[in-house]
Amino acid sequence: MCGFGGYFGSVPDGRALLEKMTVAIAHRGPDEHGAFTAPQAGLGHVRLSIVGLGDGQQPMSDATGGLTIAFNGEIFNYVELRDELRTRGRRFRTSSDTEVILHLYDEMGEDCVSRLNGDFAFALWDNRRRRMLLARDRMGVRPLFYAMRAGTLYFASEVKALLQVPGIPAEIDPIALDQIFTLWAPIAPRTPFKNIFELEPASLMVADERGAATRTYWNLAFPESDARSRHVDEGEAAEELRALLTDATRIRMRADVPVGAYLSGGLDSSIVSALAAGMAPQGLRTFSVTFDSAEHDESAFQHEMAAALGTDHRAVACRAGDIAEVFPDVIRFAERPVLRTAPAPLYQLSGLVRDSGLKVVLTGEGADEIFAGYDIFKEARVRRFCGRQPGSQIRPHLFRKLYPYLPGLKQQSSEYLAAFFGAGNDPLDDPLFSHRPRLKGTAATKMFFSGDLRAKLAGYDAADELMSRLPEAFGRWHPLHQAQYLESRFLLPGYILSSQGDRMAMAHGVEGRFPFLDHRLVEFAAELPPEMKLKGLVEKHILREATKDLLPPSIGKRTKQPYRAPDSHSFSGRGELDYVRTAMGEEAIAAGGLFNPSAVTKLYEKCRARPPSGFRDNAAFVGILSTQLWLQTFTGTSIRAAEAA
Amino acid sequence: MTETIKDSVKAFIIENFLFGDTSYELADTASLIENDIIDSTGVLELVAFIEDRFGIAMTDADIVPANLDSLARISAFIAAKSAVPVSA
């Protein structure tokens, strides 16, 4: 785990620049730092020591000095790879996983990534071939950003390091903002920063004197809908899943420091904690967030699970006002506008982990994507049913079952629910069918965009761009698999793993590990027949079957309650702080230039008068506030201009 | 009377759901759902407004798109309900 920054090209005082870049991301690696420079190349590194505590310093060069790497993440199968490399005569000077990459690269070149099971981003300088290799893990757990400036390639684990480079300014990309206000996340390689990009998941970039070329080395793929699955026996599939998940957890327990676990009280983190507890003879420490609003709180389930496993459990209480208190920091670390406040409690949680003396935690993230746990998958199934059976009398009952935890929807008539979910209206062959209601509801928040921004975006459609990025085979996949692809390939790395995962954990120097995102498990889950994942309207069926002996029935049979946090309500009442009034005020909104000041004022007053329970007003409020904070933090535009006015 | 009801509802929709955007051409028969003007909780705001402003007690059976999904439908619904004494 760690952070790095570097360059390939001509930089007058490379070491000084590397120093600035790594200082900007020092939170990612509070244990050590180092730098390497060569003519035409530089690597800087900040280290969070987890594997090879005494000898894993970076940047690390091989014995010949011809290869040097700066690495962020973990290679969980490094033990097996090292043993294999040793049998071929390779000699290791350290006990770290970093050195394994160097040896593998020496043997295989950039194809070495195909052998790595892990969450990683790295930059490897090959002095023999005078080229820089950038690589990122398959699912996009670890970040890697880059920018070109005057013929030199700069790269770093976070954008704030790139902003240290003279001539790389922070400027918002209107297209990215439109994508966030439609899809919740920018479509990679685009980022909210104009002319700063991210290396996409499962991608490599090779830069040499001829230029830089990027390619994908792994794809998330599903079988064609009429293909015969090798998984015909549910019992056998469950057994295989259990073995894979156990091994994925086992290798993620590898560390020279204690490993803890997040425990939300839901199915996924409970499974991971249960498996990990059985592998931790010294006992497992678990961590969770509690809320003082009953709608969001899951502490009863957390306590039940912690007691069942006998873990040493600690919780951080997220009270009214806490989200507002930390929100500016959240945006500084997330480096993007967000539409929900959900990252904020996770920021608090990683702080608790760090204060408890741990720096590695397992999480259940990813299970909803690969085993079809999200409500959007069920919703799409109901909408398809309605489209095919417009006269069915059970339509109203199906919609009532979908979102039992949303108070706003509980009071809705069935006719309205059907209308809101577009039941029977959306074309069944629309590639984005599963996500249309969400896209439509989210895009409605763009009503607050200013005239200038609308003019810049004229004719642009984020959903169309999303469609243009789908693989050729997409149309031949089962509808559930299409929906899973959209979640896993775009929202997971673009929002969940970045805004709620890597950035919130690393803000406090904590490494999150994700057993469900082991690529062997992801590939296995993709091959499973849809009905083993979503059985009727029961989500993650096969996962429940595979792990039913691990959990108390109350947890194992629990219907999913998505992780959510209070939104606009967090910023009113006790949570209303000066910065919110200033950032949402007419002057600051006008200075930012992105939103309509009078419309935002009406929204602000509406939210203060009666906190909304629906998605649109909440998302608009959080989206506008976070965009204003983004501007203030990275460009100094908004509030500073308002203060000067 | 109907014109007054419609004006009042229209003003509420512009203020509360369109946040003052008077440039939006809100046709009398345009669907509020299909045009993304109200979302699922917006309906509840609309119901609260009708009850407060016009003194109508709405039942669950009243809260359906057939009554509330356009300016014309809302106005007709309110006019019809207003003609009937509200029971205690």
Side-chain angles (χ1 to χ4, degrees):
Chain A
M1 186 40 51
C2 310
F4 63 84
Y7 59 85
F8 171 63
S10 178
V11 173
D13 188 354
R15 198 160 280 273
L17 176 63
L18 292 174
E19 173 72 17
K20 282 186 188 171
M21 292 175 85
T22 49
V23 164
I25 54 171
H27 51 277
R28 297 185 70 90
D31 297 332
E32 291 175 339
H33 66 278
F36 162 88
T37 53
Q40 301 294 305
L43 298 171
H45 190 265
V46 290
R47 185 177 184 217
L48 185 67
S49 312
I50 291 171
V51 172
L53 297 182
D55 58 12
Q57 289 81 10
Q58 297 188 46
M60 180 182 287
S61 298
D62 70 346
T64 69
L67 304 175
T68 304
I69 188 171
F71 166 49
N72 164 31
E74 302 291 345
I75 307 303
F76 299 116
N77 64 337
Y78 80 102
V79 175
E80 290 78 9
L81 289 172
R82 192 174 55 198
D83 290 347
E84 182 187 320
L85 287 158
R86 275 186 176 139
T87 63
R88 293 202 288 269
R90 297 255 160 199
R91 297 179 65 178
F92 284 80
R93 295 178 297 158
T94 77
S95 56
S96 76
D97 53 343
T98 312
E99 193 180 0
V100 169
I101 306 175
L102 285 171
H103 281 287
L104 263 185
Y105 176 83
D106 196 30
E107 288 195 354
M108 303 175 67
E110 68 238 41
D111 291 338
C112 67
V113 290
S114 66
R115 299 295 317 280
L116 304 178
N117 182 338
D119 306 333
F120 58 85
F122 64 79
L124 194 155
W125 168 242
D126 182 343
N127 193 48
R128 304 166 201 160
R129 300 169 71 177
R130 313 292 294 170
R131 67 179 201 170
M132 185 72 78
L133 168 67
L134 304 182
R136 192 171 175 208
D137 62 68
R138 294 170 183 81
M139 299 303 288
V141 176
R142 299 301 160 211
L144 183 43
F145 298 94
Y146 63 91
M148 293 292 296
R149 165 77 187 148
T152 294
L153 170 70
Y154 298 90
F155 46 85
S157 298
E158 294 185 18
V159 173
K160 49 181 69 72
L162 292 176
L163 298 177
Q164 304 305 313
V165 179
I168 297 185
E171 190 180 345
I172 201 150
D173 180 341
I175 298 281
L177 194 65
D178 189 80
Q179 291 174 349
I180 292 171
F181 274 71
T182 310
L183 314 170
W184 296 25
I187 302 174
R190 196 181 290 275
T191 75
F193 296 84
K194 191 184 271 186
N195 298 323
I196 296 178
F197 305 96
E198 69 171 307
L199 189 65
E200 293 186 57
S203 291
L204 296 166
M205 177 188 283
V206 175
D208 59 22
E209 63 182 12
R210 292 167 296 179
T214 303
R215 73 172 170 90
T216 303
Y217 66 87
W218 180 88
N219 285 302
L220 175 61
F222 293 88
E224 303 213 351
S225 58
D226 57 357
R228 184 177 158 80
S229 175
R230 76 176 173 92
H231 301 289
V232 290
D233 185 297
E234 190 176 285
E236 284 177 16
E239 209 171 298
E240 196 176 339
L241 192 168
R242 175 69 170 263
L244 274 171
L245 183 57
T246 302
D247 195 60
T249 306
R250 179 184 67 83
I251 62 175
R252 278 163 183 77
M253 297 285 283
R254 287 174 169 166
D256 297 334
V257 296
V259 176
Y262 283 166
L263 188 55
S264 72
L267 183 70
D268 313 328
S269 64
S270 295
I271 291 170
V272 168
S273 293
L275 288 170
M279 299 169 190
Q282 75 285 12
L284 183 71
R285 298 179 71 184
T286 50
F287 302 88
S288 63
V289 181
T290 65
F291 292 97
D292 55 7
S293 66
E295 184 188 341
H296 304 96
D297 188 57
E298 298 184 72
S299 56
F301 293 104
Q302 294 159 3
H303 289 139
E304 182 182 354
M305 196 62 218
L309 297 177
T311 65
D312 175 0
H313 187 70
R314 288 188 68 183
V316 61
C318 184
R319 294 156 304 204
D322 287 348
I323 287 176
E325 191 77 40
V326 302
F327 202 59
D329 284 337
V330 166
I331 300 306
R332 182 161 57 88
F333 286 109
E335 299 185 328
R336 68 185 59 192
V338 293
L339 302 180
R340 312 298 299 254
T341 60
L346 292 169
Y347 173 80
Q348 288 180 269
L349 183 58
S350 67
L352 171 69
V353 171
R354 191 71 195 188
D355 290 345
S356 303
L358 264 69
K359 50 186 174 182
V360 185
V361 284
L362 302 173
T363 94
E365 208 67 76
D368 287 320
E369 286 80 0
I370 69 170
F371 291 114
Y374 286 125
D375 292 322
I376 202 167
F377 302 130
K378 289 192 267 188
E379 182 189 299
R381 176 163 287 183
V382 172
R383 289 171 49 238
R384 278 190 188 280
F385 172 80
C386 294
R388 289 194 307 268
Q389 306 284 342
S392 169
Q393 297 298 306
I394 70 165
R395 289 170 44 144
H397 306 292
L398 292 173
F399 283 105
R400 287 227 166 276
K401 288 182 71 172
L402 281 176
Y403 299 98
Y405 50 85
L406 292 181
L409 290 186
K410 215 182 294 182
Q411 303 162 55
Q412 291 294 336
S413 71
S414 301
E415 290 86 348
Y416 257 120
L417 290 179
F420 286 126
F421 294 128
N425 298 335
D426 295 319
L428 296 177
D429 61 352
D430 176 2
L432 304 184
F433 177 88
S434 57
H435 286 60
R436 280 294 174 196
R438 184 202 281 173
L439 299 183
K440 209 171 156 193
T442 307
T445 59
K446 293 191 285 192
M447 73 170 76
F448 296 96
F449 281 3
S450 67
D452 281 355
L453 183 56
R454 284 168 198 262
K456 283 179 188 163
L457 293 169
Y460 176 75
D461 188 323
D464 281 352
E465 181 164 346
L466 182 65
M467 273 202 280
S468 75
R469 303 290 302 274
L470 301 178
E472 186 271 333
F474 185 87
R476 298 192 295 276
W477 295 345
H478 185 279
L480 178 67
H481 289 160
Q482 294 179 342
Q484 283 189 274
Y485 183 87
L486 293 172
E487 282 293 300
S488 307
R489 178 64 185 82
F490 296 102
L491 204 72
L492 181 67
Y495 173 66
I496 304 283
L497 291 175
S498 48
S499 302
Q500 292 186 193
D502 175 88
R503 247 61 99 236
M504 290 307 108
M506 290 306 286
H508 289 113
V510 171
E511 173 180 299
R513 294 181 174 184
F514 310 83
F516 284 108
L517 293 178
D518 185 306
H519 71 275
R520 297 169 302 171
L521 199 57
V522 172
E523 289 168 352
F524 170 83
E527 288 178 356
L528 289 173
E531 59 273 17
M532 283 193 194
K533 291 177 268 194
L534 184 58
K535 188 169 188 174
L537 289 183
V538 177
E539 74 279 7
K540 294 183 284 199
H541 167 72
I542 191 74
L543 181 62
R544 293 176 197 269
E545 285 299 302
T547 58
K548 58 188 171 190
D549 61 312
L550 285 175
L551 313 174
S554 57
I555 304 278
K557 293 181 177 171
R558 205 180 154 205
T559 302
K560 179 173 178 59
Q561 176 173 330
Y563 164 66
R564 297 177 304 125
D567 287 309
S568 67
H569 179 49
S570 308
F571 301 96
S572 57
R574 282 167 56 202
E576 186 166 79
L577 300 172
D578 284 347
Y579 84 82
V580 180
R581 274 191 294 275
T582 308
M584 296 295 276
E586 286 210 37
E587 286 183 13
I589 295 289
L594 299 172
F595 304 103
N596 176 332
S598 69
V600 172
T601 298
K602 289 182 193 302
L603 172 71
Y604 183 38
E605 291 309 322
K606 181 180 176 182
C607 292
R608 289 177 77 193
R610 194 178 59 181
S613 57
F615 172 78
R616 186 191 315 182
D617 290 349
N618 272 311
F621 184 97
V622 176
I624 293 166
L625 176 62
S626 61
T627 305
Q628 290 291 100
L629 290 172
W630 187 97
L631 288 171
Q632 179 193 7
T633 303
F634 295 103
T635 73
T637 300
S638 177
I639 292 176
R640 189 180 300 170
E643 284 167 350
Chain B
M1 178 64 181
T2 306
E3 194 59 29
T4 310
I5 291 172
K6 198 170 77 180
D7 289 348
S8 176
V9 173
K10 188 171 185 175
F12 171 76
I13 289 172
I14 289 172
E15 187 73 8
N16 199 59
F17 299 130
L18 296 173
F19 299 94
D21 183 359
T22 51
S23 65
Y24 191 100
E25 290 187 20
L26 187 60
D28 288 2
T29 56
S31 164
L32 299 177
I33 297 174
E34 285 174 25
N35 289 288
D36 299 323
I37 294 169
I38 61 171
D39 64 7
S40 55
T41 52
V43 176
L44 303 179
E45 294 172 37
L46 183 60
V47 169
F49 164 75
I50 293 170
E51 291 188 329
D52 290 350
R53 172 73 177 75
F54 299 99
I56 295 169
M58 293 181 70
T59 66
D60 287 350
D62 292 329
I63 306 171
V64 291
N67 289 336
L68 303 174
D69 194 31
S70 70
L71 255 178
R73 286 179 175 185
I74 298 167
S75 304
F77 170 76
I78 293 170
K81 280 282 185 177
S82 301
V84 178
V86 178
S87 57

